[in-house]
Amino acid sequence: MGYGNQGRAHALNLRDSGMRVTVGARPGGRGSATAAADGFSPLPLPEAARQGNLVIVALPDEMHAACWASDLAPHLRPDAIVGFLHGFSIHHGLVKPASDLGVVMVAPKGPGKTLRERFEQGLGIPALFAVHQVGRDAARTRAIGLAWAAGIGSARAAIVETTFAAECETDLFGEQAVLCGGMMALVQAAFDTLVQAGYPPELAYMECCQELKQIADLVFERGPAGMRAAISNTAEFGAFEAGQQLVDDAMREKLRTILAGIRGGAFGARFQSDAAAGFPWMRAKRAAADADAIEAAGRGVRAWMPWLDNRKDSR
Ligand SMILES: NC(=O)c1ccc[n+]([C@@H]2O[C@H](COP(=O)([O-])OP(=O)(O)OC[C@H]3O[C@@H](n4cnc5c(N)ncnc54)[C@H](OP(=O)(O)O)[C@@H]3O)[C@@H](O)[C@H]2O)c1
């Protein structure tokens, strides 16, 4: 259900693993057209839901409750198993499946694009796996959930069993504190610092943003110590000094506050409230960030490397 970032990768990988896949997509939508181009015959959500042994909800988290009530729940087979890719809607009680349905989660630890690319290379990315409720047949629910995880290629890396709560809270915290929030805010602040001090924006972009990939690749392949072994003593000495200056006790307290907001449900409530109003807060933030000088600098730097994938994201 849904043919976006994750839905497309799951559908293609499962089909290539020999499973029969029906794509559910809203008629006339971008996902529907892409699924048709990929050789599927997409159906409206209710019709697709009627067919599924395993109904995978690859829809945006903020749409789960509405789609569940109208397009999915009334149409499911009595022995259906429902699959989620992230624990958000179940953990926050936005979707409450009937107790006779099996409910599982396979949360790949990476974007759909990477999930598909690794699969095509004969590899896989790790996935978190959880059973929220066993439904009518515990063994079948678990077996089908694990077959899904294996079918997208994750058994080639690791399938790590956890709970919906742990996946949801650690995933939200990781993306907010580091991956998409903290790290990008630090990049922006460092870029601003260099530009305000008179350095060319392209230089600031290369040093504070573009080079992230090289460091991230080293951390990904070798871990933090392996990364440190691959950089100069000058870089390592300065990194220890600046790191402890930046991440002080006040910063650690802020991280604990962010985690508490996630665990207590305050973040989920704010997100749902903005989503219900059409995301006014997030759209304003997005527009301001998209118009920032860092984007123009980035376009300039990336134009020097035409082999980079410069396609826009799903928006
Ligand atoms: N993005 C990631 O890397 C990632 C990683 C792990 C887990 N997840 C989880 O995966 C799930 C899906 O996220 P995503 O990023 O793949 O979503 P996405 O790219 O935004 O894709 C959403 C899909 O849902 C469809 N859709 C949206 N609203 C709909 C509606 N009202 N009725 C019918 N279809 C609708 C869209 O259709 P149209 O094409 O017609 O607009 C699109 O095909 C979420 O639970 C997310 O937390 C995402």
Side-chain angles (χ1 to χ4, degrees), residues 163-242:
T163 62
F164 273 61
E167 184 279 338
C168 180
E169 290 166 359
T170 56
D171 187 78
L172 293 175
F173 181 74
E175 63 201 14
Q176 291 177 23
V178 185
L179 307 173
C180 318
M183 185 181 71
M184 292 315 298
L186 186 58
V187 163
Q188 180 75 55
F191 173 86
D192 293 345
T193 303
L194 285 183
V195 172
Q196 282 158 15
Y199 297 99
E202 285 76 15
L203 199 61
Y205 187 85
M206 280 195 293
E207 295 298 342
C208 299
C209 189
Q210 189 81 3
E211 275 198 53
L212 265 181
K213 173 165 170 54
Q214 277 85 289
I215 296 302
D217 281 350
L218 284 170
V219 174
F220 179 78
E221 296 277 348
R222 307 178 185 181
M227 182 276 287
R228 285 194 296 273
I231 62 177
S232 67
N233 286 339
T234 330
E236 191 178 7
F237 183 91
F240 280 129
E241 270 198 351

Side-chain angles (χ1 to χ4, degrees), residues 2-6 26 29-31 45 58-61 63-64 67 85-86 108 110-112:
Y3 204 77
N5 294 315
Q6 286 289 327
R26 52 184 166 188
R30 181 172 161 175
L45 262 50
L59 302 166
D61 297 302
M63 297 309 303
H64 286 193
C67 288
L85 302 148
H86 178 32

Side-chain angles (χ1 to χ4, degrees), residues 7 39 91 101 129 144 160 216:
H91 180 55
L101 296 170
F129 171 74
I144 288 183
V160 181

